[in-house]
Amino acid sequence: VDFSIIHSSPWFAMPAFVAPEFNLQAIIYILPIAIAPAVEHIGDMLAISNVTKEDYLKKPGLKNTLLADGLATSAASFLGGPPNTTYSEVTGAVTITKAFNPAIMTWAAIFAIILAFVGKLGGLLATIPVPVMGGILLLLFGIIASVGMDTLIKSKTDLADPRNMIIVSIILVFAIGGMTFNFGGVGFSGIGLGAIVGIVLNFVLPKTKHFDGF
């Protein structure tokens, strides 16, 4: 592990703020990509509702959470920052820590913003080896998959039905297996890709007329 980046990083560092710029080509390019995080947002809301035993689809409501996600992304864009999304990794972290209180998330966000100005902390995080981060993500994404399966079971989805089995298996392979599709320079991967594929398969595959199970 190379710790030289910590010594070279300043204690106080300002983020690189960039003024927004209207670019029609960029807007057209990003529109298809926006579908994936929107679908991922819905899946994350279902998962976090299942974990916390609170129905966030009703309160505050899916339309409000999507609106907040969009407003946060717009605010970040005005400062030259990356778009925001409901990271599925956070759902896995919440499942492990059992920190369900929204106040905890609020204070965590405030501290994260403050710590973003500490350059040496950024340098310290940069020293974490890639295999270590990979191991953490392996655990978090595995937990997300477990939460999803638990949601299907509680909703009494027949996973022995060949149609459901095909949809679930392909979603798992695409989302967790790291499948990536590129269409004209636009890339889809991860949970967003898995969700889109699952929705398409749900519409395309014919429903089983009669199935008695194994």
Side-chain angles (χ1 to χ4, degrees), residues 12-13 15 17 105-118 121:
F12 180 79
F17 294 109
M105 302 299 173
T106 302
W107 282 107
I110 293 173
F111 276 109
I113 294 173
I114 296 173
L115 293 175
F117 292 92
V118 182
L121 178 61

Side-chain angles (χ1 to χ4, degrees), residues 7-117:
H7 297 289
S8 60
S9 299
W11 278 103
F12 180 79
M14 284 290 294
F17 294 109
V18 181
E21 177 184 344
F22 183 83
N23 189 316
L24 182 60
Q25 184 178 0
I27 294 174
I28 296 175
Y29 176 83
I30 207 69
L31 277 177
I33 304 177
I35 298 174
V39 174
E40 183 179 355
H41 176 99
I42 298 173
D44 287 335
M45 292 304 298
L46 287 169
I48 201 68
S49 295
N50 186 48
V51 170
T52 60
K53 311 304 179 186
E54 297 283 347
D55 192 355
Y56 293 114
L57 297 181
K58 291 183 178 179
K59 184 180 180 181
L62 186 60
K63 62 179 182 180
N64 292 323
T65 59
L66 282 170
L67 175 62
D69 212 358
L71 291 175
T73 296
S74 300
S77 300
F78 274 108
L79 298 175
N84 299 279
T85 181
T86 51
Y87 290 101
S88 302
E89 297 91 327
V90 178
T91 303
V94 168
T95 306
I96 295 175
T97 61
K98 305 297 182 183
F100 302 150
N101 193 336
I104 297 176
M105 302 299 173
T106 302
W107 282 107
I110 293 173
F111 276 109
I113 294 173
I114 296 173
L115 293 175
F117 292 92

Side-chain angles (χ1 to χ4, degrees), residues 186-212:
V186 179
F188 295 90
S189 62
I191 294 178
L193 173 62
I196 293 175
V197 171
I199 292 174
V200 172
L201 289 177
N202 189 51
F203 278 107
V204 172
L205 293 181
K207 293 187 177 181
T208 306
K209 295 182 179 179
H210 179 72
F211 182 72
D212 295 325

Side-chain angles (χ1 to χ4, degrees), residues 146-167:
S146 301
V147 171
M149 296 300 293
D150 184 55
T151 303
L152 290 174
I153 293 171
K154 288 182 177 179
S155 62
K156 298 181 180 180
T157 301
D158 187 3
L159 296 179
D161 186 332
R163 178 181 183 273
N164 295 336
M165 193 182 300
I166 291 172
I167 295 175

